[in-house]
Amino acid sequence: MPNRKASRNAYYFFVQEKIPELRGRGLPVARVADAIPYCSADWALLREEEKEKYAEMAREWRAAQGKDARPSEKQKPVSTPLRRSGMLVPKQSVSPPDMASLSLKSDQALLGGIFYFLNIFSHGELPPHCEQRFLPCEIGCVKYSLQEGIIADFHSFINPGEIPRGFRFHCQTASDSSHKIPISNFEPGRDQAVVLQNLYRFIHPSPGSWPPIYCKSDDRAKVNWCLKHMAKASEIRQDLELLTVEDLVVGIYQQKFLKEPSKTWVRSLLDVAMWDYSSNTRCKWHEENDILFCALAVCKKIAYCISNSLATLFGIQLTVAHVPLQDYEARNSVTPKMVVLDAGRYQKLRVESPGFSHFNSSNQKQRSNTPTGDYPSGMKISGQNSSVRGRGITRFLESLSSSSSSIHQFSSCETSLSPYVSQKSGCKSFSSLS
Amino acid sequence: MSGRARTRARGRARGRASPQPAAPGASAAPGAAAPGASAAPGGATTTRQPGQILPRPQPLPAESQVVEPRQPRGAEGTSQPSAELQLSAGLQAASLRGNRGFSGVFRDLVVNTRQNLEHVRKSKTGSKGTAVRLFANHFRVTSRPQWVTYQYNVDYKPDIEDGSLRADLLKQHESLLGKCRIFDGNSLLLPRVLRKRKTEVVSKYKEQPVKITIEFSRELMPTSPDCLRYYNILFRKILKSMELKQIGRNYYNKCGATQFLDHSLEVWPGYFTSILEYENSITLCADVSHKLLRMETAYDVIMRIVDTPREGDVKQRVSKALVGLIVLTKHNNRTYRVDAINWEETPKATFKKSDGNRITFVDYYRQQYDTQVTDLTQPLLISKGKWKKSQQDTPNEPVLLVPELCSLTGLTDAMRQDYRVMRDLALHMRLDPDKRQHELQKFMNTVQRDKTAQEELRLWDLKFDTNFLSFSGRLLKEVRICQGRRVFNSHPLFAEWSKETRKGPLLKVKSLDDWLMLYTKRNYGAAVSLMQCLRKVTPTMGIAMRDAKMLEVNDTVKSYINVLEKHASSKTQMVVCVLSSDRKEMYDGIKKFLCVNYPIPSQCVVARTLDKPQTLMTIATKIAQQMNCKMGGALWKVETGLRNTMFIGIDCFHDIVNRRKSIAGFVSSVNDELTQWFSQCIFQESGQELVNGLRDCLQAALKLWREHNPFMPRSVIVYRDGVGDGQLEALIKYEIPQISSCLESILQTNDVKLAVIVVKKRINTRFFVESEGKLRNPRPGTVVDVELTRKEWYDFFIVSQSVKDGTVTPTHYNVIHDTVRLSPDTVQGLTYRLCHMYYNLPGVIRVPAPCHYAHKLAYLVGQSIHQEPHHSLTNRLFYL
């Protein structure tokens, strides 16, 4: 960006000092940038002490910069992809009357701004000489604003149509290595035209203007191609513009801090595996089949990433709509000592492996300290609704080791506690124990 | 010959610029058998320009490169799918690097790394250990032509693609050329000069005239390395004349097939051969190879599915069963991958032949191969050939195949799990040294007895010794293993010490205080018994273990991760997951989470392995050891004899199936005892073998070294795996300067002591020892640095591991750079010792431990986590 203040380092000051000399040699050097190529050799010849002089100058400069960094923030906002598209300030967002400063006002507009994240999955990518490059099979779209988080989502499977002849294997392997959607005869796969119509209905453009739609830059070609392809099939004219999430992030960042973030920062921001398995992220089918790759999840994860790193910068309280918060809460409130054991299973095990009696008894004391009262609370929050559960393994182990001395007492207590064990197996264990 | 074939295969994947020849016919061609009139083989004709300066007629020394603008044939993008492939592929890889001044197929071997290594210029043989008499599967070439030979380029007009047809057309002029000739499809080697520099003759092919131009290229001295190429071609010709069929690179004997009727499998015996120059002589390396076929055609599979009525679309089921399989068409011995099934067409459909006529598949096979297609209603199989990144713009005409003629190859998963099948096959295919010798001797005798073969060999005055090459190797002393206060030797025969290591405390133990064990409901029993066993085995190892937190999960990745998120804390040292199956996604998901998001060392174990009570203790011991390593403990150590030396291992992982990025694993030692290792991986473009981002790795590695040691390392020894012979030059040109300049700038010295040793595992050379009249595998610790090494290299072989059955494969080491000035004895001993340091096995492995660690790391990252592991794990062996 032109207005970005290049950081001045030691070399900069060295070159600056050299400029008159270079001009003296008749070289056309107007600015430091022009002179850089002529100075590198000289710079390399400098000793560390000599370089230190320039490094000091650079430090001073930086210190001076730091002081007047504040006023520079008031500079006019730079043009960003957001602004260019004219979508940043949606009409429905009402700015609050309290407009203390310019930046706050634009903040508010930004916060209320609605973005759509879109992704379409394909059964692999076909070589460039093919007419059909992709086979769309799943679509996910998320309506999002910084303020509200995810407002609504849209997901559908798509009938990819006939696989081009000779590419079945190629498509199959591509699918198998990622989203695992069957390449043909997949029940939930909807007709392309219907899906597209539904998508349009979901995005619901106000007449004449489409809201901004974003996808990751790596996916952009694919999504664009698929949209066009689907539009062709359905004969719906589509004029939505696909922008990249990376640009959006840069835009928001610039809006807030008036400087451009580093590319690596943006990439690392979006490349997060943290929510890969969070609840309510993948579509139902992918969640049930325990498959990571899901078009909806990709969109939602973009939303999570932006919420997590950008929305917090605006001081927005993150809600369930921003990030999968329920998982966080659960994590914090569970008693860490929770252990789960099914008493019924224990009985069976006991029959199977008689080797249990030589237990290392040195650990007994420790274990007996574990309060057995811990687990009910943990169970509730963990949200697992297994009906047969209720004894901690610590308790089990403890009772086992003590059982060697008092088998009878132990086993009777065991049966009384586990109503799920059928009478028969209960009897069996008795006989084996006594 | 050592592992060249595979090396070449790697090289070819990138090096080959010209696309596979499109099968003849506009829409379809059966078996790509018909000679094609399609595009000229890449570059063969296009590189020629009229009015080139022709070489002078008088004989010139071969090395002086007579023809400047024109390369000798074989260097061009030939589309010969024959023996030449590997040779030309290697060449292309070389020529792509723009080094056109040289000539010769064996250019890559010309990389003379020894000349720069002053300290071994005189001798590179060591003396330590006891001498043993060894045999190898090499046969010395006792006699070869001692006269000058002449190389000619041969061109066809119109262009003929089929190699054997080219040879046939040339054969029509035997009176002119003489019987004594070697033709590789592009260039011709004659023992005498033709009268004219440029001879034009006309052959008849199917009543059509074909003009053949034979043009002088250069003359070859008998010492020229190019000669070897022609000897190889000659030998292949002989194999062909002995009724051996070429499949891929090797030759197989169809008639000698063994059938396994119970499993409906068929095994063809075959041979690998190569003639190459070694230390003192040229030898023929021969090895036994097997081709496994199913006695079942694609048609049988289709019919079986059609005949078993079940719900579901028949077409669907058929494509599920067949798509992705590799089939072999026996009429031309080619393999294809089934990419799709064409239900619209049958063998009655027609395709366009190369001469433009349309013909039905039925007629074609009857005419061409005398094969009758019986079922005229069967669908056709489509094979697309490979779609490579480099040639994605060229549409590849798919090949249509008749299912009836397609034999299936390879094992099904069901067969693989059937231990009877595997046992029978192993018995047949895994030859022990004695059987191997027997087979090879038989092969050499057939060559000696075969009349046509002898005639060919006589013409060129080529003779082979019929006995295995014999020479002397050395057996190094067993290595002493220190485990705490106890010291013991590795077992001299089996190269292992699992019993000893179990008896006492480990070298450096980490206590297990806070750890988790995750299991699914069904595997509760397995988890508890594992826990029990761990409790039994850990006290002897000296590990203080508290009980794990036992956590039940559902059998989904999400459930595992939720539970981990809830229960894992920063204090958690270890996570053990008892998995219900070896499902890859599950493993990948858990590993990714625990390596990237939430860095905790983890140990996964499939519940099935815990089922057997008799092996449970062993498994628990191993798990305990592994956990100890992953947490930063150490099991044992070996005295290397070097102080202040950093060892580095580098290996690459290429995801061939998904064409994702390649990953290079970098592992370096952190202390002198070699018990701790630093690890980092480098992501690079797919298929890239040479590592670029070494600088960062080295910097971080040295930083960590400095934290653990009072001084910077005085010398650095790099073991580099995963490079072929063809890439040595690039390695010397790019990677080594990168490493040394980086070391120079970090260590602030101009005198960096660096040694780089290239490790090669996949070689065809085998060693044997004789005892009690039988050949046996050499003992672990056998070193060979004579005879089968190369003059230009500072190289040696070590047999470090021990195998239970079959023949042991030695590992080849090549010291390509050495400013540490390691003597042969030192480097051999050192390498052998490092093979003892791999903590996942209480025994000796095939490669030095850093190499294998790097391999494991690259493999884990490339297969499962696809992301840079968390930095807090860099000093742990988490990838073990």
Side-chain angles (χ1 to χ4, degrees), chain B residues 239-285:
Chain B
L239 292 179
K240 217 184 263 171
S241 74
M242 288 165 62
E243 297 296 312
L244 293 175
K245 294 272 177 277
Q246 183 180 12
I247 305 175
R249 294 202 179 91
N250 301 344
Y251 284 81
Y252 295 92
N253 186 358
K254 211 173 178 175
C255 312
T258 317
Q259 297 187 331
F260 294 90
L261 291 170
D262 314 356
H263 318 311
S264 62
L265 286 173
E266 200 177 358
V267 176
W268 294 6
Y271 306 99
F272 159 89
T273 61
S274 84
I275 302 169
L276 272 182
E277 186 168 9
Y278 293 96
E279 197 77 41
N280 306 320
S281 57
I282 295 177
T283 67
L284 166 77
C285 171

Short mmCIF file of all heavy atoms in Angstrom, two decimals, chain B residues 239-285:
data_model
loop_
_atom_site.label_atom_id
_atom_site.label_comp_id
_atom_site.label_asym_id
_atom_site.label_seq_id
_atom_site.Cartn_x
_atom_site.Cartn_y
_atom_site.Cartn_z
N LEU B 239 17.35 -62.00 -23.26
CA LEU B 239 16.27 -62.46 -22.39
C LEU B 239 15.00 -62.64 -23.20
O LEU B 239 14.24 -63.58 -23.00
CB LEU B 239 16.04 -61.46 -21.26
CG LEU B 239 17.15 -61.33 -20.23
CD1 LEU B 239 16.79 -60.28 -19.21
CD2 LEU B 239 17.37 -62.66 -19.54
N LYS B 240 14.76 -61.69 -24.10
CA LYS B 240 13.55 -61.75 -24.90
C LYS B 240 13.60 -62.99 -25.78
O LYS B 240 12.60 -63.68 -25.94
CB LYS B 240 13.45 -60.48 -25.76
CG LYS B 240 12.03 -59.99 -25.91
CD LYS B 240 11.97 -58.80 -26.84
CE LYS B 240 11.95 -57.50 -26.08
NZ LYS B 240 12.11 -56.35 -26.99
N SER B 241 14.78 -63.25 -26.33
CA SER B 241 14.88 -64.41 -27.22
C SER B 241 14.72 -65.72 -26.46
O SER B 241 14.44 -66.75 -27.01
CB SER B 241 16.22 -64.39 -27.94
OG SER B 241 17.24 -64.75 -27.05
N MET B 242 14.88 -65.65 -25.14
CA MET B 242 14.71 -66.85 -24.33
C MET B 242 13.28 -67.02 -23.88
O MET B 242 13.01 -67.69 -22.88
CB MET B 242 15.63 -66.78 -23.10
CG MET B 242 17.09 -66.98 -23.44
SD MET B 242 18.13 -66.47 -22.09
CE MET B 242 17.60 -67.59 -20.82
N GLU B 243 12.36 -66.40 -24.59
CA GLU B 243 10.93 -66.54 -24.29
C GLU B 243 10.55 -65.96 -22.94
O GLU B 243 9.63 -66.43 -22.30
CB GLU B 243 10.49 -68.02 -24.34
CG GLU B 243 10.65 -68.67 -25.70
CD GLU B 243 9.77 -68.05 -26.76
OE1 GLU B 243 8.58 -67.86 -26.46
OE2 GLU B 243 10.27 -67.69 -27.83
N LEU B 244 11.29 -64.97 -22.51
CA LEU B 244 10.90 -64.28 -21.28
C LEU B 244 10.11 -63.06 -21.68
O LEU B 244 10.43 -62.39 -22.66
CB LEU B 244 12.13 -63.88 -20.47
CG LEU B 244 12.94 -65.03 -19.89
CD1 LEU B 244 14.18 -64.50 -19.23
CD2 LEU B 244 12.12 -65.80 -18.89
N LYS B 245 9.07 -62.78 -20.94
CA LYS B 245 8.20 -61.65 -21.28
C LYS B 245 8.53 -60.45 -20.41
O LYS B 245 8.69 -60.58 -19.20
CB LYS B 245 6.74 -62.04 -21.05
CG LYS B 245 6.27 -63.13 -21.98
CD LYS B 245 5.72 -62.53 -23.26
CE LYS B 245 5.31 -63.60 -24.25
NZ LYS B 245 6.45 -64.11 -25.05
N GLN B 246 8.60 -59.33 -21.05
CA GLN B 246 8.91 -58.13 -20.28
C GLN B 246 7.62 -57.54 -19.68
O GLN B 246 6.66 -57.27 -20.39
CB GLN B 246 9.55 -57.08 -21.17
CG GLN B 246 9.95 -55.86 -20.38
CD GLN B 246 10.60 -54.80 -21.24
OE1 GLN B 246 10.57 -54.87 -22.45
NE2 GLN B 246 11.17 -53.81 -20.58
N ILE B 247 7.61 -57.37 -18.38
CA ILE B 247 6.53 -56.64 -17.73
C ILE B 247 7.21 -55.59 -16.88
O ILE B 247 7.99 -55.90 -16.00
CB ILE B 247 5.66 -57.54 -16.84
CG1 ILE B 247 5.14 -58.73 -17.63
CG2 ILE B 247 4.52 -56.75 -16.24
CD1 ILE B 247 4.37 -59.72 -16.81
N GLY B 248 6.89 -54.36 -17.15
CA GLY B 248 7.59 -53.30 -16.45
C GLY B 248 9.04 -53.34 -16.87
O GLY B 248 9.35 -53.34 -18.06
N ARG B 249 9.95 -53.44 -15.90
CA ARG B 249 11.35 -53.43 -16.24
C ARG B 249 11.98 -54.80 -16.25
O ARG B 249 13.08 -54.98 -16.71
CB ARG B 249 12.10 -52.56 -15.24
CG ARG B 249 11.70 -51.14 -15.34
CD ARG B 249 12.74 -50.24 -14.78
NE ARG B 249 12.28 -48.88 -14.95
CZ ARG B 249 11.58 -48.26 -14.03
NH1 ARG B 249 11.30 -48.86 -12.91
NH2 ARG B 249 11.18 -47.03 -14.26
N ASN B 250 11.29 -55.75 -15.65
CA ASN B 250 11.89 -57.07 -15.51
C ASN B 250 11.31 -58.05 -16.52
O ASN B 250 10.30 -57.79 -17.14
CB ASN B 250 11.67 -57.59 -14.09
CG ASN B 250 12.28 -56.67 -13.06
OD1 ASN B 250 13.09 -55.81 -13.40
ND2 ASN B 250 11.88 -56.82 -11.82
N TYR B 251 11.98 -59.17 -16.63
CA TYR B 251 11.54 -60.19 -17.59
C TYR B 251 11.02 -61.40 -16.84
O TYR B 251 11.64 -61.87 -15.89
CB TYR B 251 12.72 -60.57 -18.49
CG TYR B 251 12.99 -59.52 -19.52
CD1 TYR B 251 13.71 -58.37 -19.20
CD2 TYR B 251 12.48 -59.64 -20.80
CE1 TYR B 251 13.92 -57.38 -20.13
CE2 TYR B 251 12.69 -58.66 -21.75
CZ TYR B 251 13.42 -57.53 -21.40
OH TYR B 251 13.61 -56.55 -22.34
N TYR B 252 9.86 -61.89 -17.30
CA TYR B 252 9.21 -62.98 -16.58
C TYR B 252 9.00 -64.18 -17.48
O TYR B 252 8.81 -64.05 -18.68
CB TYR B 252 7.88 -62.50 -16.01
CG TYR B 252 8.07 -61.46 -14.97
CD1 TYR B 252 8.07 -60.11 -15.31
CD2 TYR B 252 8.30 -61.81 -13.65
CE1 TYR B 252 8.30 -59.14 -14.36
CE2 TYR B 252 8.52 -60.84 -12.69
CZ TYR B 252 8.51 -59.51 -13.05
OH TYR B 252 8.74 -58.56 -12.10
N ASN B 253 9.00 -65.31 -16.83
CA ASN B 253 8.84 -66.56 -17.53
C ASN B 253 7.41 -67.05 -17.37
O ASN B 253 7.02 -67.54 -16.33
CB ASN B 253 9.83 -67.58 -16.95
CG ASN B 253 9.83 -68.85 -17.72
OD1 ASN B 253 9.06 -69.01 -18.67
ND2 ASN B 253 10.69 -69.77 -17.32
N LYS B 254 6.65 -66.90 -18.43
CA LYS B 254 5.25 -67.26 -18.40
C LYS B 254 5.09 -68.76 -18.21
O LYS B 254 4.19 -69.22 -17.53
CB LYS B 254 4.64 -66.84 -19.73
CG LYS B 254 3.20 -66.45 -19.69
CD LYS B 254 2.87 -65.91 -21.07
CE LYS B 254 1.43 -65.52 -21.21
NZ LYS B 254 1.20 -64.90 -22.52
N CYS B 255 5.97 -69.51 -18.85
CA CYS B 255 5.82 -70.97 -18.84
C CYS B 255 6.15 -71.55 -17.47
O CYS B 255 5.62 -72.58 -17.08
CB CYS B 255 6.75 -71.60 -19.88
SG CYS B 255 6.64 -70.80 -21.47
N GLY B 256 7.02 -70.87 -16.75
CA GLY B 256 7.42 -71.42 -15.46
C GLY B 256 6.49 -70.99 -14.34
O GLY B 256 6.86 -71.07 -13.17
N ALA B 257 5.30 -70.54 -14.70
CA ALA B 257 4.40 -70.01 -13.68
C ALA B 257 3.99 -71.08 -12.68
O ALA B 257 3.81 -72.24 -13.04
CB ALA B 257 3.16 -69.43 -14.34
N THR B 258 3.87 -70.68 -11.44
CA THR B 258 3.36 -71.58 -10.41
C THR B 258 1.94 -71.16 -10.11
O THR B 258 1.67 -69.97 -9.94
CB THR B 258 4.18 -71.44 -9.12
OG1 THR B 258 5.55 -71.37 -9.47
CG2 THR B 258 3.94 -72.60 -8.20
N GLN B 259 1.06 -72.13 -10.05
CA GLN B 259 -0.33 -71.77 -9.80
C GLN B 259 -0.73 -72.18 -8.40
O GLN B 259 -0.37 -73.26 -7.93
CB GLN B 259 -1.23 -72.45 -10.83
CG GLN B 259 -0.93 -71.96 -12.22
CD GLN B 259 -1.91 -72.50 -13.23
OE1 GLN B 259 -2.45 -73.57 -13.06
NE2 GLN B 259 -2.11 -71.73 -14.29
N PHE B 260 -1.45 -71.31 -7.77
CA PHE B 260 -2.01 -71.63 -6.46
C PHE B 260 -3.51 -71.76 -6.67
O PHE B 260 -4.24 -70.78 -6.59
CB PHE B 260 -1.72 -70.53 -5.45
CG PHE B 260 -0.27 -70.38 -5.14
CD1 PHE B 260 0.53 -69.52 -5.88
CD2 PHE B 260 0.31 -71.09 -4.11
CE1 PHE B 260 1.86 -69.39 -5.60
CE2 PHE B 260 1.65 -70.96 -3.82
CZ PHE B 260 2.44 -70.10 -4.56
N LEU B 261 -3.94 -72.97 -6.94
CA LEU B 261 -5.33 -73.15 -7.32
C LEU B 261 -6.28 -72.83 -6.16
O LEU B 261 -7.37 -72.30 -6.37
CB LEU B 261 -5.56 -74.56 -7.83
CG LEU B 261 -4.87 -74.82 -9.18
CD1 LEU B 261 -4.91 -76.28 -9.54
CD2 LEU B 261 -5.50 -73.98 -10.28
N ASP B 262 -5.84 -73.12 -4.95
CA ASP B 262 -6.72 -72.85 -3.80
C ASP B 262 -7.05 -71.38 -3.71
O ASP B 262 -8.14 -70.99 -3.31
CB ASP B 262 -6.04 -73.22 -2.46
CG ASP B 262 -5.36 -74.57 -2.52
OD1 ASP B 262 -5.49 -75.21 -3.57
OD2 ASP B 262 -4.72 -74.94 -1.53
N HIS B 263 -6.08 -70.55 -4.04
CA HIS B 263 -6.30 -69.12 -3.88
C HIS B 263 -6.53 -68.46 -5.23
O HIS B 263 -6.61 -67.24 -5.29
CB HIS B 263 -5.10 -68.47 -3.21
CG HIS B 263 -4.54 -69.26 -2.07
ND1 HIS B 263 -5.33 -69.75 -1.07
CD2 HIS B 263 -3.28 -69.64 -1.78
CE1 HIS B 263 -4.58 -70.40 -0.21
NE2 HIS B 263 -3.33 -70.36 -0.62
N SER B 264 -6.60 -69.25 -6.29
CA SER B 264 -6.68 -68.76 -7.67
C SER B 264 -5.66 -67.63 -7.90
O SER B 264 -6.00 -66.53 -8.28
CB SER B 264 -8.09 -68.33 -8.05
OG SER B 264 -8.52 -67.28 -7.25
N LEU B 265 -4.43 -67.99 -7.64
CA LEU B 265 -3.33 -67.04 -7.86
C LEU B 265 -2.27 -67.71 -8.72
O LEU B 265 -2.16 -68.95 -8.76
CB LEU B 265 -2.70 -66.62 -6.54
CG LEU B 265 -3.49 -65.66 -5.68
CD1 LEU B 265 -2.79 -65.49 -4.34
CD2 LEU B 265 -3.61 -64.32 -6.37
N GLU B 266 -1.50 -66.89 -9.36
CA GLU B 266 -0.48 -67.40 -10.25
C GLU B 266 0.77 -66.56 -10.03
O GLU B 266 0.67 -65.34 -9.95
CB GLU B 266 -0.99 -67.23 -11.68
CG GLU B 266 -0.31 -68.09 -12.69
CD GLU B 266 -0.95 -67.90 -14.07
OE1 GLU B 266 -1.91 -67.14 -14.19
OE2 GLU B 266 -0.47 -68.51 -15.01
N VAL B 267 1.91 -67.19 -9.94
CA VAL B 267 3.15 -66.44 -9.76
C VAL B 267 4.09 -66.74 -10.92
O VAL B 267 4.39 -67.90 -11.18
CB VAL B 267 3.82 -66.79 -8.42
CG1 VAL B 267 5.14 -66.07 -8.30
CG2 VAL B 267 2.92 -66.42 -7.27
N TRP B 268 4.51 -65.70 -11.60
CA TRP B 268 5.48 -65.88 -12.67
C TRP B 268 6.87 -65.58 -12.12
O TRP B 268 7.07 -64.52 -11.53
CB TRP B 268 5.22 -64.90 -13.82
CG TRP B 268 3.96 -65.14 -14.55
CD1 TRP B 268 2.98 -66.03 -14.24
CD2 TRP B 268 3.51 -64.45 -15.72
NE1 TRP B 268 1.96 -65.94 -15.15
CE2 TRP B 268 2.26 -64.98 -16.08
CE3 TRP B 268 4.06 -63.44 -16.51
CZ2 TRP B 268 1.54 -64.53 -17.17
CZ3 TRP B 268 3.34 -63.00 -17.61
CH2 TRP B 268 2.10 -63.54 -17.94
N PRO B 269 7.80 -66.49 -12.33
CA PRO B 269 9.15 -66.16 -11.92
C PRO B 269 9.80 -65.22 -12.95
O PRO B 269 9.43 -65.24 -14.12
CB PRO B 269 9.86 -67.52 -11.93
CG PRO B 269 9.10 -68.33 -12.91
CD PRO B 269 7.70 -67.81 -12.96
N GLY B 270 10.69 -64.42 -12.51
CA GLY B 270 11.32 -63.48 -13.43
C GLY B 270 12.66 -63.04 -12.92
O GLY B 270 13.10 -63.45 -11.83
N TYR B 271 13.32 -62.23 -13.70
CA TYR B 271 14.67 -61.82 -13.35
C TYR B 271 14.87 -60.35 -13.54
O TYR B 271 14.32 -59.74 -14.45
CB TYR B 271 15.69 -62.59 -14.20
CG TYR B 271 15.50 -64.07 -14.12
CD1 TYR B 271 14.81 -64.75 -15.11
CD2 TYR B 271 15.96 -64.77 -13.02
CE1 TYR B 271 14.60 -66.12 -15.02
CE2 TYR B 271 15.75 -66.13 -12.92
CZ TYR B 271 15.07 -66.80 -13.92
OH TYR B 271 14.85 -68.13 -13.80
N PHE B 272 15.69 -59.83 -12.70
CA PHE B 272 16.16 -58.47 -12.86
C PHE B 272 17.63 -58.58 -13.26
O PHE B 272 18.37 -59.36 -12.68
CB PHE B 272 16.04 -57.73 -11.53
CG PHE B 272 16.91 -56.53 -11.44
CD1 PHE B 272 16.44 -55.30 -11.87
CD2 PHE B 272 18.21 -56.62 -10.96
CE1 PHE B 272 17.26 -54.20 -11.81
CE2 PHE B 272 19.02 -55.52 -10.91
CZ PHE B 272 18.55 -54.31 -11.33
N THR B 273 18.05 -57.83 -14.25
CA THR B 273 19.47 -57.88 -14.62
C THR B 273 19.98 -56.48 -14.91
O THR B 273 19.22 -55.61 -15.33
CB THR B 273 19.70 -58.70 -15.90
OG1 THR B 273 19.01 -58.07 -16.97
CG2 THR B 273 19.28 -60.12 -15.76
N SER B 274 21.26 -56.28 -14.68
CA SER B 274 21.88 -55.03 -15.11
C SER B 274 23.39 -55.24 -15.16
O SER B 274 23.96 -55.97 -14.35
CB SER B 274 21.54 -53.90 -14.15
OG SER B 274 22.42 -53.91 -13.06
N ILE B 275 23.99 -54.61 -16.14
CA ILE B 275 25.44 -54.70 -16.28
C ILE B 275 26.01 -53.34 -15.95
O ILE B 275 25.61 -52.34 -16.54
CB ILE B 275 25.82 -55.11 -17.71
CG1 ILE B 275 25.16 -56.45 -18.07
CG2 ILE B 275 27.33 -55.19 -17.87
CD1 ILE B 275 25.27 -56.81 -19.52
N LEU B 276 26.88 -53.29 -15.00
CA LEU B 276 27.44 -52.00 -14.58
C LEU B 276 28.88 -52.16 -14.18
O LEU B 276 29.34 -53.27 -13.87
CB LEU B 276 26.66 -51.45 -13.38
CG LEU B 276 25.44 -50.60 -13.66
CD1 LEU B 276 24.88 -50.12 -12.35
CD2 LEU B 276 25.80 -49.42 -14.53
N GLU B 277 29.56 -51.06 -14.15
CA GLU B 277 30.96 -51.11 -13.76
C GLU B 277 31.08 -50.83 -12.27
O GLU B 277 30.52 -49.89 -11.75
CB GLU B 277 31.75 -50.06 -14.54
CG GLU B 277 33.22 -50.19 -14.27
CD GLU B 277 34.05 -49.39 -15.23
OE1 GLU B 277 33.47 -48.61 -16.01
OE2 GLU B 277 35.27 -49.53 -15.19
N TYR B 278 31.84 -51.67 -11.59
CA TYR B 278 32.09 -51.49 -10.17
C TYR B 278 33.57 -51.27 -9.94
O TYR B 278 34.33 -51.05 -10.90
CB TYR B 278 31.54 -52.67 -9.38
CG TYR B 278 30.04 -52.73 -9.45
CD1 TYR B 278 29.40 -53.53 -10.37
CD2 TYR B 278 29.26 -51.93 -8.62
CE1 TYR B 278 28.02 -53.57 -10.46
CE2 TYR B 278 27.88 -51.95 -8.71
CZ TYR B 278 27.26 -52.76 -9.62
OH TYR B 278 25.90 -52.77 -9.69
N GLU B 279 33.97 -51.40 -8.72
CA GLU B 279 35.33 -51.05 -8.33
C GLU B 279 36.41 -51.57 -9.28
O GLU B 279 37.18 -50.81 -9.84
CB GLU B 279 35.59 -51.58 -6.92
CG GLU B 279 36.77 -50.95 -6.22
CD GLU B 279 36.45 -49.56 -5.71
OE1 GLU B 279 35.34 -49.35 -5.18
OE2 GLU B 279 37.30 -48.69 -5.85
N ASN B 280 36.43 -52.88 -9.48
CA ASN B 280 37.51 -53.45 -10.28
C ASN B 280 37.05 -53.99 -11.62
O ASN B 280 37.87 -54.24 -12.49
CB ASN B 280 38.17 -54.60 -9.52
CG ASN B 280 38.61 -54.16 -8.15
OD1 ASN B 280 39.12 -53.05 -8.00
ND2 ASN B 280 38.39 -54.98 -7.16
N SER B 281 35.77 -54.25 -11.75
CA SER B 281 35.36 -54.95 -12.96
C SER B 281 33.93 -54.61 -13.31
O SER B 281 33.20 -54.03 -12.51
CB SER B 281 35.49 -56.45 -12.75
OG SER B 281 34.71 -56.81 -11.63
N ILE B 282 33.57 -55.02 -14.50
CA ILE B 282 32.18 -54.89 -14.92
C ILE B 282 31.48 -56.19 -14.54
O ILE B 282 32.00 -57.27 -14.76
CB ILE B 282 32.10 -54.66 -16.43
CG1 ILE B 282 32.74 -53.31 -16.75
CG2 ILE B 282 30.68 -54.69 -16.92
CD1 ILE B 282 32.79 -53.00 -18.20
N THR B 283 30.32 -56.08 -13.93
CA THR B 283 29.61 -57.29 -13.54
C THR B 283 28.16 -57.23 -13.99
O THR B 283 27.61 -56.16 -14.22
CB THR B 283 29.62 -57.52 -12.03
OG1 THR B 283 28.84 -56.49 -11.42
CG2 THR B 283 31.01 -57.54 -11.45
N LEU B 284 27.58 -58.40 -14.08
CA LEU B 284 26.16 -58.53 -14.33
C LEU B 284 25.50 -58.82 -12.99
O LEU B 284 25.80 -59.83 -12.36
CB LEU B 284 25.91 -59.68 -15.31
CG LEU B 284 24.48 -60.15 -15.43
CD1 LEU B 284 23.68 -59.19 -16.27
CD2 LEU B 284 24.40 -61.54 -16.03
N CYS B 285 24.64 -57.93 -12.59
CA CYS B 285 23.90 -58.16 -11.35
C CYS B 285 22.58 -58.81 -11.73
O CYS B 285 21.87 -58.31 -12.61
CB CYS B 285 23.66 -56.85 -10.62
SG CYS B 285 22.56 -56.99 -9.22
#
